[in-house]
Amino acid sequence: VYMIEFRPFLEAVLTGYKNSYDVEKIEESDENSYLQAKAHFHLIESQCLIFKEFSMWTAEADEYVRIYHVKNLTVEMAEDLIKRTYDECFPFINLEDKNLKHQHMRTGIVALIIADSADEAALKIIKKCKIYKNFNFSLKGWMEMHAVAVELDRAKVTGNRYSRETVKFLKDLISHRQKWENKYNNA
């Protein structure tokens, strides 16, 4: 079984996010916070008519990521970190300043938990996380909670239904690291 080291893996994850996200690494966090990094992504798409000033429509998408590290992921810890991420990031969705030309389309809130090991019951909590909200019957967009756990001891990634892209990114990262280490360890 391939085991991943935490620090190099965290750096690889942050490097992947830095391409499109604003990343803030937490240097010192208290023992019960587990928070290692924050990332934010903001995208504005629009359809313009001749000039940029003549915008027919605009759609805005945001993503707020919180990356945690725990020794052993338990049910209580999984529930707490998902709730903590939601409580911290949901207030960033401000629909009051949006009008018909500047529309909020979607916001993703991501709780990425990197665990040295994880209980099977905790992974079920991650997998079954179903936090989704639509605003004005989706006329002002929607919000979805992405919950993802990476088990370093088994090199396994578990996520809920909204986190498919994040899970794919992490699995590709692990696969790439495995191939790279095998290539240079066998050389």
Side-chain angles (χ1 to χ4, degrees):
V1 173
Y2 176 73
M3 178 152 175
I4 305 167
E5 290 182 46
F6 169 67
R7 283 284 161 211
F9 182 72
L10 176 64
E11 292 304 320
V13 169
L14 295 179
T15 300
Y17 274 118
K18 283 179 185 174
N19 292 331
S20 303
Y21 291 66
D22 295 326
V23 175
E24 175 191 349
K25 194 169 178 185
I26 309 299
E27 296 302 327
E28 289 185 34
S29 60
D30 67 65
E31 194 173 301
N32 294 325
S33 139
Y34 310 110
L35 187 63
Q36 299 295 312
K38 298 177 180 182
H40 173 250
F41 173 77
H42 184 71
L43 174 70
I44 300 175
E45 295 179 281
S46 63
Q47 178 67 50
C48 299
L49 191 63
I50 302 173
F51 298 107
K52 192 173 161 182
E53 292 80 28
F54 302 121
S55 173
M56 294 185 342
W57 59 265
T58 301
E60 298 181 12
D62 291 295
E63 192 162 290
Y64 301 97
V65 181
R66 298 298 179 261
I67 301 173
Y68 303 97
H69 177 240
V70 298
K71 297 290 182 205
N72 183 43
L73 184 62
T74 62
V75 169
E76 297 79 22
M77 203 175 285
E79 290 171 342
D80 177 55
L81 294 177
I82 290 169
K83 182 181 180 332
R84 188 182 304 183
T85 303
Y86 176 81
D87 290 346
E88 181 182 337
C89 297
F90 186 77
F92 294 138
I93 304 171
N94 184 5
L95 300 175
E96 299 306 315
D97 65 348
K98 308 295 181 204
N99 56 40
L100 288 176
K101 277 198 152 200
H102 297 281
Q103 287 287 335
H104 168 263
M105 184 176 67
R106 76 172 268 299
T107 297
I109 298 175
V110 182
L112 171 52
I113 305 166
I114 302 171
D116 294 343
S117 63
D119 299 343
E120 285 301 318
L123 296 177
K124 284 183 181 178
I125 296 295
I126 297 292
K127 203 178 269 191
K128 292 184 178 193
C129 177
K130 292 181 183 168
I131 301 173
Y132 176 90
K133 294 191 182 315
N134 67 50
F135 306 107
N136 289 3
F137 304 104
S138 295
L139 291 173
K140 286 196 171 188
W142 66 90
M143 181 282 309
E144 55 196 25
M145 180 78 189
H146 303 216
V148 181
V150 177
E151 293 176 89
L152 298 177
D153 62 345
R154 299 191 308 167
K156 182 180 173 192
V157 182
T158 304
N160 68 349
R161 64 185 286 199
Y162 303 118
S163 64
R164 287 187 191 111
E165 289 299 315
T166 306
V167 168
K168 183 182 179 321
F169 161 67
L170 293 167
K171 284 182 177 179
D172 289 347
L173 184 65
I174 290 170
S175 173
H176 176 74
R177 291 187 65 78
Q178 281 177 317
K179 287 176 187 171
W180 183 81
E181 286 180 13
N182 287 340
K183 181 178 178 182
Y184 288 100
N185 288 341
N186 295 333

